[in-house]
Amino acid sequence: MSVSHGFDTPRMAINRVYTRLGDSGHTSLAGGQRLPKNDLRIEAYGTVDELNSFIGLARESAREIPAVAELDRILGRVQHELFNLGSILATIPEDVHPKQARITPAESEQLEREIDRMNEGLPALRSFVLPGGSRLNAELHICRTVCRRAERVCVTLAGTSELDGTILKYLNRLSDALFVWSRWASHQLGVAEVLWEPNQAASQDAPQGLP
């Protein structure tokens, strides 16, 4: 059971979509600092934002299928967690408020419980799997690979700036969860997994003696 940490409710009013402040290729962090848009910190929370968008897409697919209604609820929670994670990435460590939204160990622990429970009834893997078999499966694999990229960017950021270790742990667990969820979704839908077959490559159909 998750414990409430009493995060502050966002207080903002977005009246204008464009401000012209980013026209020079710079943007502002939560504390007001201006950074170039290709800064690692911006790349980190921008990739997390991209991940959140793809999870929203997968959630819409899950919402249309009663057999995976549980996954719809889980993905909705994950979207909020990713915004909490992005809140910290968009704030330099010295500006982080004690009640600012963030990722805690509880979020990773919940993912681990869901991974273990949903992996229980799945057949053992005898080969690597390819994305596909259903639209939802493919979308979850896209989420998984974007999550891995977000993790890599955050690892790079941690090499130059202070970074809360719970962020890296959460992204690592989430990518594992997305893999399990893709398999679980296929299992719930009765769709066969697409297994990697090395001999399906074009070279295997080439006439003997040709490269």
Side-chain angles (χ1 to χ4, degrees):
M1 180 177 178
S2 297
V3 178
S4 173
H5 293 271
F7 296 141
D8 284 338
T9 301
R11 291 186 289 272
M12 60 179 65
I14 303 174
N15 298 316
R16 293 180 60 184
V17 175
Y18 65 90
T19 63
R20 300 192 177 96
L21 295 177
D23 293 351
S24 64
H26 289 70
T27 191
S28 297
L29 296 179
Q33 299 86 356
R34 301 285 291 173
L35 290 178
K37 291 185 177 182
N38 62 354
D39 184 270
L40 266 178
R41 185 170 291 278
I42 310 301
E43 181 68 22
Y45 70 72
T47 307
V48 169
D49 186 33
E50 180 184 353
L51 170 60
N52 210 336
S53 296
F54 278 116
I55 286 182
L57 178 63
R59 187 185 180 197
E60 288 304 310
S61 294
R63 188 174 296 177
E64 297 173 357
I65 309 170
V68 294
E70 179 183 5
L71 185 58
D72 170 29
R73 293 191 294 272
I74 291 173
L75 293 177
R77 186 196 78 231
V78 167
Q79 285 192 289
H80 290 286
E81 291 171 353
L82 287 173
F83 244 94
N84 290 355
L85 188 154
S87 169
I88 293 298
L89 286 175
T91 310
I92 60 174
E94 52 265 38
D95 286 346
V96 173
H97 188 274
K99 297 188 72 174
Q100 183 173 337
R102 70 191 67 206
I103 287 295
T104 76
E107 280 72 50
S108 295
E109 291 164 5
Q110 179 62 25
L111 289 175
E112 289 174 357
R113 286 191 289 269
E114 288 161 349
I115 289 170
D116 291 342
R117 178 171 54 81
M118 297 171 88
N119 194 49
E120 269 185 4
L122 299 180
L125 275 177
R126 304 301 180 191
S127 175
F128 290 106
V129 295
L130 302 182
S134 71
R135 177 175 293 276
L136 178 57
N137 176 286
E139 289 169 349
L140 289 167
H141 274 286
I142 290 172
C143 293
R144 175 184 62 80
T145 55
V146 176
C147 187
R148 285 294 193 195
R149 177 153 52 88
E151 181 185 8
R152 291 194 299 271
V153 175
C154 286
V155 168
T156 305
L157 177 62
T160 60
S161 306
E162 181 183 343
L163 187 71
D164 188 340
T166 56
I167 289 176
L168 296 178
K169 182 176 181 180
Y170 178 83
L171 291 173
N172 188 271
R173 290 300 180 280
L174 180 57
S175 62
D176 290 338
L178 287 161
F179 177 73
V180 170
W181 294 338
S182 71
R183 299 195 67 217
W184 179 85
S186 292
H187 186 68
Q188 293 298 106
L189 297 175
V191 176
E193 293 184 285
V194 184
L195 299 180
W196 172 43
E197 298 181 26
N199 291 322
Q200 289 294 317
S203 61
Q204 302 307 305
D205 294 327
Q208 293 295 318
L210 293 180

